[in-house]
């Protein structure tokens, strides 16, 4: 007896075709206000093996803390050159890298301010529902009061905070671990 994958268990060749035209690893064009930062890391499975076909989708506010979306009606300035969105594929070793700006704080539950963060969706072959997580910035005092980060168990919060890369101040490391010890925290957003 052999097991065979059925169509309900795999996304198939459309995964690559459907996403490729949206790849963008430079989220902030020249002239966009804010502190420039690059983030790199790897997407790894439960055995710490690279996932070679993952795509990260990034959503973020601009440096003032406003999203480039019609539903964000805050009085904060918009930056016309900044979409706050990008799709970044990994390579055969599960590696990714993208450049952006550090976002400003945005309102959260009950109007409480959230620390600067990036919202990340992870897509990959065989995963029919995206995984949603966040990247927070290291050494940001606002992390301590962030209502979403504080919702996560204290011993797991570090999976959401990028790490500075020694001798490269504008570079951060953040990895996606899909299972096991130090598994990245993912949020069930009901979609």
């Amino acid at each position: 007896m052999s097991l065979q994958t059925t169509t309900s268990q795999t996304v198939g060749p459309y995964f690559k075709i459907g996403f490729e035209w949206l790849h963008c690893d430079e989220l902030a064009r020249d002239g966009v206000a804010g502190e420039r930062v690059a983030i790199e890391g790897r997407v790894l499975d439960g055995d710490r093996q690279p996932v070679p076909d993952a795509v990260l989708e990034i959503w973020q506010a601009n440096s003032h803390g406003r999203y480039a979306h019609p539903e964000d009606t805050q009085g904060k300035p918009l930056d016309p050159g900044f979409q706050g969105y990008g799709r970044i594929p990994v390579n055969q070793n599960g590696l990714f890298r993208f450049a952006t700006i550090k976002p400003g704080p945005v309102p959260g539950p009950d109007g409480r301010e959230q620390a600067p963060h990036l919202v990340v969706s992870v897509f990959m072959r065989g995963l029919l529902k995206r995984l949603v997580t966040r990247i927070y910035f290291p050494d940001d005092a606002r992390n301590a009061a962030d209502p979403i980060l504080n919702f996560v168990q204290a011993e797991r919060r570090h999976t959401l905070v990028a790490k500075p890369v020694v001798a490269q101040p504008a570079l951060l490391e953040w990895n996606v671990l899909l299972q096991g010890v130090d598994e990245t925290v993912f949020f069930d957003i009901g979609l």
Side-chain angles (χ1 to χ4, degrees), residues 103-130:
V106 297
D110 301 325
R112 295 184 343 205
E113 186 175 89
Q114 298 181 64
H117 65 276
L118 310 178
V119 177
V120 180
S121 291
V122 180
F123 299 90
M124 69 189 99
R125 179 178 24 144
L127 185 66
L128 299 178
K129 184 177 177 184
R130 68 186 172 133

Side-chain angles (χ1 to χ4, degrees), residues 15-16 20 41-45 48-55 88-97 125:
F15 179 76
K16 182 173 170 72
E20 199 165 68
R42 297 178 75 193
V43 178
L44 303 170
D45 68 17
R48 299 303 190 255
Q49 296 301 306
V51 176
D53 61 355
V55 174
I88 300 93
V90 302
N91 69 15
Q92 290 300 311
N93 296 314
L95 293 165
F96 64 86
R97 182 184 174 107
R125 179 178 24 144

Side-chain angles (χ1 to χ4, degrees), residues 94-173:
L95 293 165
F96 64 86
R97 182 184 174 107
F98 64 94
T100 189
I101 51 137
K102 183 176 179 180
V106 297
D110 301 325
R112 295 184 343 205
E113 186 175 89
Q114 298 181 64
H117 65 276
L118 310 178
V119 177
V120 180
S121 291
V122 180
F123 299 90
M124 69 189 99
R125 179 178 24 144
L127 185 66
L128 299 178
K129 184 177 177 184
R130 68 186 172 133
L131 300 173
V132 179
T133 188
R134 288 180 169 203
I135 302 173
Y136 286 88
F137 293 83
D139 304 322
D140 192 313
R142 294 170 287 195
N143 288 349
D146 183 90
I148 306 301
L149 191 56
N150 281 302
F151 183 71
V152 175
Q153 296 169 337
E155 63 273 8
R156 297 197 61 212
R157 289 180 196 152
H158 71 279
T159 69
L160 301 177
V161 180
K163 297 177 181 81
V165 175
V166 177
Q168 296 187 49
L171 180 63
L172 299 174
E173 178 185 0

Side-chain angles (χ1 to χ4, degrees), residues 21-98:
W21 70 278
L22 289 170
H23 289 174
C24 172
D25 60 3
E26 292 286 336
L27 280 67
R29 298 182 202 152
D30 289 340
V32 170
E35 177 186 341
R36 301 269 169 184
V37 64
I39 299 175
E40 67 180 16
R42 297 178 75 193
V43 178
L44 303 170
D45 68 17
D47 294 324
R48 299 303 190 255
Q49 296 301 306
V51 176
D53 61 355
V55 174
L56 303 181
E57 182 178 275
I58 311 297
W59 287 93
Q60 71 170 92
N62 66 18
S63 63
H64 305 288
R66 185 167 177 190
Y67 289 96
H69 192 278
E71 289 183 22
D72 188 341
T73 58
Q74 298 179 80
K76 298 174 182 176
L78 276 174
D79 193 331
F82 186 68
Q83 293 186 85
Y85 171 81
R87 276 204 175 131
I88 300 93
V90 302
N91 69 15
Q92 290 300 311
N93 296 314
L95 293 165
F96 64 86
R97 182 184 174 107
F98 64 94

